[in-house]
Amino acid sequence: MKVTGSHEPPYGKNIHQFASLRTISTSKTLILVTLTLIILTVVPLYYPLKRYPSTHAATGGDAAVVPPVYHPQDEVITINDNHHKCDVFSGEWIRNPDAPYYDNLTCWAIHEHQNCQKYGRPDSDFMKWRWKPDGCDLPIFNPYQFLEIVRDKSLAFVGDSVGRNQMQSLICMLSRVEYPIDRSATKDENFKHWYYVSYNFTLATYWSPFLVKAREASSDGPTHTGLFNLYLDEFDEKWTTQIDGFNYLIINAGHWFWRPALYYVNNQVVGCRFCQLENITDYPMTFGYKKAIRTAFNAINSRTNFKGVTILRTFAPMHFEGGEWNSGGNCVRKKPFKSNEITLEGINLELYMTQIEEFKRGERMGKNNGLKFRLLDTTQAMLLRPDGHPSRYGHWPNENVTLYNDCVHWCLPGPIDTWSDFLLHTLKMEGLRSAEERALLNG
């Protein structure tokens, strides 16, 4: 079965394991030291398995903390040697009757176009699944653990509207503990700073759907979704000059590269993507995509004062069936695929492999500068979730919207909440690596 959607929407595995994490062989003594360091530095706290009402009004404002529910089994963070060997991004979706852990009444951060409950989506089964990796387990997101890990730290999202979708999901998943206050320097919704008072944690978002310098040359263009000038070798300074103080940087890009664009290198047009202009070479979208990701990683590696961990969140495929986004395509399935029912192929596979290739290159460069690059590989998991998109439930039936059937973004609550499970796992593993490295340095 194929994933359709070869033309750009207006928004913006089974795959071989591509990058192995370098693991350090440790003795039993070192493992005990490592886990002790983690337990001392990352307080596990508690995790309320069931969703419960927030004590904070769902309209923003000052932070409020919901008293935790005590669960003795959560006293120890479960990180064992199996997690070094297990690819948590390869697996299947299994039932989770306890989900969801928030709704559109308890979380104010849900974007209108992803508020499927508000706009009358009649089914709820799409919210009741969790990701089960092959060969190990991925714990359900623990908001208390997450906020302890990021205490006195900062995290920024850089990319497009699916990246914003992820950030809003994270805010909702954390809302059982605390809501952030708005400390943005601008009223521009594309550049927000949220602050968690009790944890001294800053969460930010920077809008950069192409990751490089870009300008809209026409609001119409060949497909009526705009024509963009992409300066593939130039940094987008709206985000690249702002990242130095962040501990974690999550970048993403993908869907906007379907749009018509002129490609510039050294301020000269070198080609385009479906620009339909005479005497200009038309390249596949991976041409610009590859160069843009490379430039973004070059920008990060060029920042002498940036010492954070860069996380590339991989491409999440669309699920238009029966047509393209503008020709009747829709996503009406009611349950996940099994991994043997669908294969990543065509342009989606090309985009994914382009990301992996450039990630490896950026990671090699980063090591020379003492920087860390990690992969948040959501591609396979989300390929299996055609049921998780808003479709026509991101607006009222009579509204005049460009993307009437949205098979790009993800309902909140919904499958995208699992990205927080992946992110927490990634941060735990980062803490484990750091503890192991410290233990080795200390003999």
Side-chain angles (χ1 to χ4, degrees):
M1 186 174 295
K2 297 183 179 179
V3 176
T4 63
S6 59
H7 296 96
E8 82 287 350
Y11 283 73
K13 93 175 144 159
N14 276 335
I15 303 168
H16 299 295
Q17 188 172 0
F18 40 81
S20 60
L21 296 172
R22 182 173 62 91
T23 60
I24 303 174
S25 299
T26 58
S27 64
K28 292 182 179 179
T29 301
L30 180 56
I31 291 174
L32 290 174
V33 170
T34 298
L35 292 178
T36 301
L37 285 169
I38 292 174
I39 293 168
L40 289 174
T41 57
V42 182
V43 180
L45 294 177
Y46 323 104
Y47 175 54
L49 194 57
K50 295 283 188 179
R51 173 168 55 90
Y52 52 85
S54 170
T55 60
H56 185 283
T59 55
D62 293 336
V65 178
V66 178
V69 177
Y70 177 64
H71 289 279
Q73 68 270 25
D74 289 325
E75 287 188 353
V76 177
I77 296 178
T78 304
I79 305 178
N80 53 48
D81 191 55
N82 190 39
H83 285 92
H84 278 305
K85 303 171 184 176
C86 177
D87 176 9
V88 298
F89 303 115
S90 178
E92 302 281 357
W93 291 93
I94 63 173
R95 295 281 182 176
N96 179 19
D98 294 315
Y101 300 99
Y102 65 91
D103 59 35
N104 65 326
L105 298 179
T106 62
C107 183
W108 52 259
I110 301 174
H111 191 281
E112 280 294 286
H113 294 308
Q114 286 96 59
N115 197 341
C116 303
Q117 292 173 308
K118 173 180 176 179
Y119 290 106
R121 179 163 176 171
D123 59 316
S124 60
D125 192 59
F126 70 95
M127 297 183 283
K128 296 184 175 297
W129 299 84
R130 71 178 182 91
W131 183 248
K132 174 64 174 68
D134 299 327
C136 63
D137 194 34
L138 179 67
I140 297 294
F141 183 75
N142 183 326
Y144 297 93
Q145 285 186 359
F146 182 90
L147 285 168
E148 281 298 334
I149 289 173
V150 297
R151 182 184 289 277
D152 301 323
K153 294 183 173 64
S154 56
L155 183 155
F157 289 91
V158 177
D160 59 22
S161 54
V162 179
R164 181 179 62 206
N165 201 173
Q166 180 185 5
M167 183 196 72
Q168 291 167 342
S169 167
L170 179 59
I171 289 176
C172 288
M173 293 294 281
L174 294 174
S175 68
R176 291 169 287 161
V177 179
E178 180 170 313
Y179 280 105
I181 61 174
D182 190 348
R183 284 196 172 177
S184 307
T186 173
K187 293 183 179 180
D188 189 340
E189 291 297 317
N190 291 322
F191 300 91
K192 301 291 290 185
H193 277 66
W194 301 102
Y195 181 65
Y196 288 81
V197 176
S198 301
Y199 294 87
N200 189 29
F201 169 55
T202 297
L203 186 64
T205 181
Y206 294 92
W207 175 257
S208 185
F210 297 109
L211 297 179
V212 294
K213 180 181 175 182
R215 182 177 65 85
E216 188 173 27
S218 168
S219 60
D220 189 25
T223 62
H224 310 295
T225 55
L227 175 66
F228 294 84
N229 293 342
L230 302 189
Y231 301 89
L232 298 174
D233 58 342
E234 296 189 41
F235 302 162
D236 180 359
E237 295 186 349
K238 290 180 179 178
W239 70 268
T240 60
T241 60
Q242 303 298 312
I243 65 173
D244 287 354
F246 284 94
N247 301 98
Y248 306 103
L249 183 67
I250 301 178
I251 69 171
N252 82 96
H255 296 294
W256 279 66
F257 285 85
W258 263 285
R259 298 185 181 216
L262 288 167
Y263 296 145
Y264 286 79
V265 175
N266 293 324
N267 280 314
Q268 300 294 319
V269 175
V270 296
C272 76
R273 146 74 184 162
F274 199 67
C275 62
Q276 296 188 340
L277 297 176
E278 292 184 3
N279 301 319
I280 297 181
T281 303
D282 189 63
Y283 286 106
M285 64 178 296
T286 49
F287 176 89
Y289 193 51
K290 179 185 182 71
K291 291 183 179 297
I293 296 175
R294 178 171 296 191
T295 296
F297 283 141
N298 287 345
I300 294 167
N301 282 316
S302 72
R303 303 297 300 180
T304 57
N305 292 325
F306 175 68
K307 305 300 180 185
V309 178
T310 299
I311 301 171
L312 173 65
R313 197 267 300 158
T314 62
F315 181 72
M318 302 176 289
H319 291 95
F320 289 102
E321 295 185 80
E324 306 299 337
W325 69 271
N326 58 352
S327 61
N330 204 351
C331 39
V332 297
R333 295 180 184 269
K334 301 301 182 185
K335 65 179 183 179
F337 287 120
K338 294 291 186 181
S339 61
N340 62 356
E341 294 177 329
I342 188 170
T343 302
L344 193 71
E345 56 191 353
I347 186 60
N348 286 319
L349 179 59
E350 292 177 28
L351 291 172
Y352 177 81
M353 296 311 296
T354 298
Q355 284 187 314
I356 299 309
E357 180 183 343
E358 290 306 313
F359 171 82
K360 290 180 178 179
R361 181 183 179 278
E363 183 183 35
R364 288 193 298 269
M365 290 182 59
K367 285 182 179 179
N368 295 331
N369 300 329
L371 295 180
K372 298 176 181 179
F373 285 73
R374 307 296 181 224
L375 204 65
L376 197 70
D377 187 356
T378 60
T379 301
Q380 173 67 6
M382 303 316 282
L383 176 68
L384 305 183
R385 293 308 305 269
D387 58 320
H389 299 287
S391 180
R392 62 187 177 91
Y393 297 107
H395 53 82
W396 299 120
N398 59 346
E399 275 191 77
N400 183 19
V401 294
T402 303
L403 188 60
Y404 194 86
N405 296 327
D406 184 354
C407 303
V408 177
H409 301 92
W410 304 91
C411 290
L412 294 180
I416 196 172
D417 294 327
T418 295
W419 296 8
S420 292
D421 302 350
F422 288 140
L423 179 58
L424 178 55
H425 171 81
T426 299
L427 298 188
K428 285 180 179 179
M429 293 303 295
E430 196 60 40
L432 179 59
R433 291 189 193 93
S434 297
E436 288 174 337
E437 290 169 1
R438 288 195 299 270
L440 285 177
L441 288 174
N442 292 333

